Amino acid sequence: QVHLVESGGGLVQAGGSLRLSCAATGSIVSINDMGWYRQAPEKQRELVATITSGGSTHYADSVKGRFTISRDDAKNTVYLQMNSLKPEDTAVYYCNADLITLATMRSVDYWGQGTQVTVSS
């Protein structure tokens, strides 16, 4: 069984910072792309940031210059440093990873359970 375990969400005032973490556990052979998505109430889930196994990153326009995605492959963990937070960043943030496990020996997409981020004005 593979699990993506997220942590680091919470309540913060506008202008503040939070750091999200997502650790992949289980019989993992390798991890390809990892990323963060978010879903605000009554809105569709949207991409926030992704990072490839080679370290290339991609950001949504709305978070460029404020958020930074990084990964630690030794820990099978992806991070999202969020600075200068705005009320419109309020959402449930989901971790995503495309990884290969011993059970499947092929690339499969996995999702975390989500962590709430609330930014007050």
Side-chain angles (χ1 to χ4, degrees), residues 66-121:
R66 300 188 297 122
F67 291 10
T68 301
I69 189 171
S70 61
R71 61 192 283 169
D72 183 340
D73 289 337
K75 298 180 180 179
N76 289 339
T77 299
V78 62
Y79 305 96
L80 185 68
Q81 177 66 43
M82 305 185 292
N83 298 328
S84 302
L85 282 160
K86 305 175 181 180
E88 51 263 44
D89 294 318
T90 294
V92 177
Y93 283 69
Y94 296 92
C95 172
N96 171 263
D98 176 35
L99 53 87
I100 299 173
T101 68
L102 284 174
T104 65
M105 290 309 291
R106 61 181 178 87
S107 180
V108 176
D109 224 27
Y110 289 88
W111 291 89
Q113 79 285 356
T115 185
Q116 177 70 47
V117 171
T118 303
V119 184
S120 63
S121 56

